[in-house]
Amino acid sequence: MPENKSEARQTLTLIRGLPGSGKSTLAKHLAKATGATHLEADMFMVDRQGFYEFDPRRLNATHTKCQTACREALEDGESAVVSNTFTRFWELQSYIEIAEELGIPLQIIECHGKFRSIHQVPDETLADMRDRWEELPVKYR
């Protein structure tokens, strides 16, 4: 392991999985261990008091904010770990393009754990997400 952050190789790590699969926990541990910036769209769904408040009308805006923060971290020379559900491949595409544009190595990790979701996602929503799950193209496995 490098002795300091400047010796570390800059990377973009995308972590995908259904709610309760362990992606946020893994992302937090990876970010702490490597000094990377941890981001997820849920971070942009907090109210003025700092409480998580899901609002489907804000989904596009929160994902755009997450992508922007990711780009800024990478442009600042930091590594980034982004954890979101990413059930469909196109949801990863903006991040893939950022990594390619900046010449930063990319890794994609899938979480398949079965833990309790911290956001109490309804069973029918979880089933919908599971039904729309797309396998990664071979290039990204």
Side-chain angles (χ1 to χ4, degrees), residues 12-62:
L12 172 57
T13 302
L14 304 177
I15 302 177
R16 68 189 299 236
L18 296 175
S21 65
K23 63 190 173 300
S24 294
T25 301
L26 176 60
K28 288 174 191 169
H29 287 294
L30 278 176
K32 184 176 180 183
T34 63
T37 297
H38 171 221
L39 297 163
E40 51 189 59
D42 285 346
M43 294 174 170
F44 301 96
M45 285 256 192
V46 293
D47 64 18
R48 289 189 174 109
Q49 291 76 38
F51 295 103
Y52 178 79
E53 183 181 332
F54 179 77
D55 182 350
R57 298 169 296 180
R58 294 176 45 213
L59 273 175
N60 285 339
T62 58

Side-chain angles (χ1 to χ4, degrees), residues 22 59 74 76 92 96:
L59 273 175
L74 295 171
D76 286 345
L92 297 157
I96 292 168

Side-chain angles (χ1 to χ4, degrees), residues 15 19 28 36 51-53 95 97 100 102 104 107-108 112 120 134:
I15 302 177
K28 288 174 191 169
F51 295 103
Y52 178 79
E53 183 181 332
Y95 296 96
E97 290 170 5
E100 288 174 351
L102 298 176
I104 295 170
Q107 66 176 336
I108 301 173
H112 297 284
Q120 291 77 41
E134 290 180 356

Side-chain angles (χ1 to χ4, degrees), residues 63-134:
H63 282 285
T64 298
K65 287 177 183 178
C66 191
Q67 292 162 9
T68 300
C70 176
R71 174 180 287 280
E72 289 171 353
L74 295 171
E75 287 176 344
D76 286 345
E78 299 175 33
S79 289
V81 177
V82 181
S83 55
N84 284 318
T85 54
F86 295 126
T87 58
R88 295 185 178 132
F89 182 70
W90 69 263
E91 296 168 334
L92 297 157
Q93 198 62 47
S94 293
Y95 296 96
I96 292 168
E97 290 170 5
I98 291 168
E100 288 174 351
E101 177 187 332
L102 298 176
I104 295 170
L106 170 75
Q107 66 176 336
I108 301 173
I109 299 170
E110 290 187 357
C111 289
H112 297 284
K114 298 199 184 325
F115 306 101
R116 184 178 52 89
S117 170
I118 61 170
H119 298 305
Q120 291 77 41
V121 177
D123 289 342
E124 58 273 6
T125 301
L126 197 54
D128 288 344
M129 293 172 122
R130 193 175 297 113
D131 289 345
R132 70 174 176 252
W133 183 268
E134 290 180 356

